Amino acid sequence: MLTLKQGRQLQTVLLGTLAWLVALTIFFPIFWMILTSFKTEIDAFATPPQLFFTPTLENYLHIDARSDYFHFAWNSVVVSFGSTLLGMLLAVPAAYSMAFFETKRTKSTLLWMLSTKMLPPVGVLVPIYLIFKDFGLLDTKFGLVLIYTLINLPIMVWMVYTYFKEIPKDILEAARLDGATALQEIYRVLLPISKGGLASTVLLSLILSWNEAFWSLNLTASSAAPLTALVASYSSPEGLFWAKLSAVSTLACAPILIFGWLSQKQLVRGLSFGAVK
Amino acid sequence: MSISSLPAEGTAHASAPPVTVHEERQRQSRLSLAMVSPSVAVLLIWMAVPLAMTIYFSLIRYNLLYPGDNDFVGLENYYFFLTDEGFTAGMTNTLLLVCSVLLISVVVGVLIAVLVDTSFWGRGIVRVLLISPFFIMPTVSALVWKNLLLHPVSGVFAAVWRFFGAEPIDWFATYPMEAIILIVSWQWVPFAVLLLMTAMQSLDQEQKDAARLDGAGPVAIFWHITLPHLARPIAVVVMIETIFLLSIFAEIFTTTGGGPGYETTNLAYLIYSQALLQFDVGLASAGGLVAVLLANIAAFILIRMIGKNLTDKG
């Protein structure tokens, strides 16, 4: 017979094992992609798939020879950070005003903003393409920054709004009685308190911009093309070169994946959308 | 809290010109309007201008293959779009895709969040592994699933099938929609896990312990304490995922191209294929407007169901 304590321990071990199994299963596709990127093309196509093989760097060398990885990576960085910065500059004041000076229209404005996200991008692709062409924004980083800011803005406003909502109004009133202006209120009082929430808003915006693959594929050609376009360029004409495809995919995902892992705690803590009381 | 600086209040006010409550309130409302306006304005332009152009395109004949032939044709494009056999398929597939992925990510997400909430060795690493797919580009995950995992000859799934003595399945030919749902779920379950994991941390342990002392089993605790606690975060998951799932595109584009036939064509892909593969901008614009209309209906229903509840926070 097991004692109660032993039973608990056994339960912990079983649940832990189960959790590990689930996690490894979910992670497997990524693991397999990274593994394949170190195989030769022949090993990559082998039947049955091989877990053990002689690793090679030839795929990475090939990519380095064929395309300028850092050019694409730099575009991704600029576009993600640029749109996140611009988005925050717009979202923070809007959320501040909505959270602390609520009017009759605040809620409907917020919901309307969210509803703009439900537009299928493909429905407005042609007009946007034509507008971009007229304004010389096609294949520019600035054009992509604009688009990403606009598509992420509703979610950013909403997230920041929910964080601001959680701040007791007394704190702001105390600052206001001290003679603080609205800007001072935001910079000295609000931002320090809601640092965590703002950080996760920034993180989410970076992730979404980094991975966006509809506008970046349709509005860029070469000079502003981010990593999503680099991956796409390896997928269509060379669909059968899986090891190279895996290598380029690994390179495209690695920065944001590592970034996500490092900031995972922050993201988990902050990503509640006001759903947790 | 900066209570310590409160005594300065008197002096600050004495030096400022007297302001009536009314004036102060007006000033505040002007200021708050000025702060919301930029966001509202850019989003309004972002919506209105392309929409107006789309409405215009949808009423004329506009095929890139026949330049110059841009006659006004009234509602002809709408008629062709709505009677196209792809339309019913697109509607059904969009609904099927959104609902299946939502169901899977909520159910699996809740189970994983509850499982990971117990303490065990290496929980931090398990968490990192679980949310990783959310960081992967949709194009990459579609390509990896298509070529490395689901490939009928050399894919990992085929090897597993063979190991158990079964005939490997050509997923994208036999079960195309199921394969797409699998890929999209793999991407979005981690998002649900991410949110629900956060929510689990704020679950009142004492309440659970009290229930346990009263003789409640794990199932009863899950049903009566955990699940009600997760109701709001689940609503958020449903809301956000719906927004993204309605316009799923890259996964279909890279794997099946909408086929075989119309089996995996959703509305977004249908419009894309009309605009860019058949060069019929007029027809695609009509389709785009139909999609916008449907998206707004979906948004309206969703917001009615959960949106109000989310902004109503005391």
Side-chain angles (χ1 to χ4, degrees):
Chain A
M1 272 293 274
L2 291 166
T3 64
L4 194 61
K5 197 177 162 209
Q6 278 171 325
R8 272 282 156 74
Q9 273 173 345
L10 184 69
Q11 197 189 351
T12 311
V13 170
L14 284 179
L15 285 179
T17 316
L18 184 61
W20 267 99
L21 277 177
V22 173
L24 289 175
T25 310
I26 286 193
F27 189 73
F28 180 77
I30 301 174
F31 164 75
W32 196 252
M33 169 184 84
I34 299 172
L35 200 71
T36 307
S37 75
F38 292 107
K39 291 179 180 177
T40 60
E41 291 295 350
I42 295 162
D43 282 340
F45 199 74
T47 325
Q50 296 184 316
L51 194 55
F52 302 102
F53 56 92
T54 331
T56 166
L57 282 175
E58 68 178 47
N59 302 309
Y60 289 96
L61 294 174
H62 171 88
I63 290 164
D64 189 47
R66 198 187 100 166
S67 37
D68 186 0
Y69 167 75
F70 290 101
H71 167 74
F72 293 93
W74 175 244
N75 284 343
S76 278
V77 168
V78 170
V79 169
S80 311
F81 279 85
S83 66
T84 301
L85 184 73
L86 193 58
M88 285 305 267
L89 285 177
L90 286 166
V92 168
Y96 165 79
S97 151
M98 285 180 169
F100 297 108
F101 304 98
E102 217 168 317
T103 65
K104 280 182 298 235
R105 273 163 306 177
T106 299
K107 267 171 201 158
S108 40
T109 312
L110 200 61
L111 294 174
W112 168 76
M113 283 185 172
L114 272 180
S115 77
T116 64
K117 270 227 61 109
M118 301 220 176
L119 285 182
V122 73
V124 289
L125 173 62
V126 176
I128 293 290
Y129 187 90
L130 295 175
I131 293 172
F132 265 51
K133 203 173 77 183
D134 286 346
F135 284 87
L137 289 171
L138 280 180
D139 202 17
T140 62
K141 290 196 265 291
F142 181 66
L144 269 195
V145 166
L146 282 185
I147 291 275
Y148 289 177
T149 305
L150 287 165
I151 59 178
N152 289 333
L153 187 59
I155 291 212
M156 293 169 92
V157 171
W158 191 27
M159 278 180 83
V160 179
Y161 167 82
T162 56
Y163 299 127
F164 282 176
K165 262 308 219 197
E166 279 160 24
I167 296 171
K169 287 196 170 171
D170 314 357
I171 297 179
L172 285 187
E173 261 151 38
R176 211 168 298 152
L177 287 175
D178 282 350
T181 64
L183 272 183
Q184 282 173 325
E185 236 176 79
I186 295 187
Y187 283 101
R188 301 243 178 93
V189 186
L190 269 187
L191 293 190
I193 298 179
S194 44
K195 228 173 11 195
L198 295 178
S200 50
T201 311
V202 167
L203 288 176
L204 189 69
S205 162
L206 287 176
I207 296 168
L208 291 176
S209 311
W210 189 276
N211 291 338
E212 202 287 326
F214 179 77
W215 293 109
S216 59
L217 293 183
N218 283 308
L219 297 180
T220 66
S222 61
S223 77
L227 286 169
T228 42
L230 178 69
V231 173
S233 78
Y234 276 80
S235 66
S236 26
E238 294 178 44
L240 287 175
F241 294 95
W242 295 347
K244 288 185 190 66
L245 185 64
S246 301
V248 80
S249 302
T250 306
L251 280 176
C253 294
I256 201 77
L257 194 59
I258 292 166
F259 182 74
W261 285 344
L262 294 178
S263 56
Q264 179 264 137
K265 278 222 171 81
Q266 186 56 54
L267 197 63
V268 170
R269 209 180 302 132
L271 207 64
S272 72
F273 291 95
V276 184
K277 289 223 174 183
Chain B
M1 289 216 230
S2 55
I3 309 280
S4 58
S5 51
L6 265 179
E9 171 202 343
T11 49
H13 261 242
S15 58
V19 193
T20 66
V21 178
H22 181 68
E23 274 178 296
E24 173 62 19
R25 198 161 288 158
Q26 267 199 330
R27 198 185 62 83
Q28 267 184 9
S29 74
R30 264 203 308 273
L31 184 72
S32 77
L33 196 65
M35 289 177 136
V36 195
S37 312
S39 296
V40 173
V42 291
L43 285 175
L44 204 61
I45 297 171
W46 164 240
M47 268 194 78
V49 175
L51 210 58
M53 289 172 77
T54 309
I55 292 176
Y56 171 67
F57 292 157
S58 75
L59 297 175
I60 60 173
R61 185 175 297 135
Y62 188 176
N63 193 313
L64 299 177
L65 294 180
Y66 309 104
D69 181 14
N70 293 343
D71 298 336
F72 180 80
V73 290
L75 296 177
E76 200 185 281
N77 284 320
Y78 292 89
Y79 176 76
F80 281 127
F81 183 78
L82 292 172
T83 52
D84 190 293
E85 61 170 323
F87 175 69
T88 344
M91 280 289 287
T92 326
N93 289 332
T94 307
L95 273 179
L96 188 65
L97 185 61
V98 172
C99 295
S100 320
V101 177
L102 277 181
L103 189 70
I104 292 172
S105 48
V106 167
V107 172
V108 178
V110 168
L111 291 178
I112 291 180
V114 171
L115 179 65
V116 178
D117 198 51
T118 55
S119 71
F120 54 85
W121 182 82
R123 201 167 80 166
I125 304 170
V126 163
R127 273 191 192 167
V128 164
L129 295 181
L130 281 173
I131 59 173
S132 293
F134 183 62
F135 303 129
I136 303 294
M137 292 173 190
T139 22
V140 166
S141 54
L143 285 169
V144 167
W145 276 91
K146 183 190 180 186
N147 294 332
L148 303 182
L149 300 174
L150 296 179
H151 193 275
V153 178
S154 62
V156 175
F157 276 57
V160 174
W161 255 244
R162 252 181 244 117
F163 179 80
F164 288 108
E167 191 63 29
I169 298 168
D170 187 354
W171 290 89
F172 290 105
T174 329
Y175 303 105
M177 199 57 190
E178 286 82 351
I180 302 249
I181 290 173
L182 177 67
I183 299 173
V184 178
S185 302
W186 180 74
Q187 293 175 294
W188 283 99
V189 163
F191 180 75
V193 171
L194 199 57
L195 256 110
L196 297 171
M197 236 163 33
T198 323
M200 285 301 289
Q201 286 165 354
S202 67
L203 182 60
D204 192 358
Q205 280 303 322
E206 283 175 25
Q207 204 186 355
K208 262 167 80 176
D209 290 339
R212 204 172 290 132
L213 283 179
D214 285 345
V219 178
I221 291 179
F222 173 76
W223 212 249
H224 294 291
I225 297 176
T226 313
L227 214 51
H229 175 78
L230 291 180
R232 273 175 90 93
I234 288 175
V236 177
V237 170
V238 169
M239 179 114 174
I240 298 212
E241 291 201 359
T242 308
I243 291 175
F244 284 93
L245 295 174
L246 272 175
S247 48
I248 284 286
F249 174 80
E251 292 81 349
I252 296 174
F253 177 75
T254 19
T255 55
T256 61
Y262 282 112
E263 272 185 62
T264 54
T265 301
N266 67 351
L267 277 183
Y269 194 81
L270 181 67
I271 299 165
Y272 171 81
S273 65
Q274 276 161 350
L276 290 146
L277 303 181
Q278 298 169 28
F279 303 102
D280 195 337
V281 177
L283 189 59
S285 299
L289 279 176
V290 172
V292 166
L293 194 72
L294 292 171
N296 273 304
I297 295 174
F300 182 76
I301 296 172
L302 267 178
I303 283 163
R304 262 293 150 90
M305 272 164 51
I306 47 189
K308 288 273 185 247
N309 167 43
L310 289 175
T311 46
D312 281 342
K313 271 200 73 183

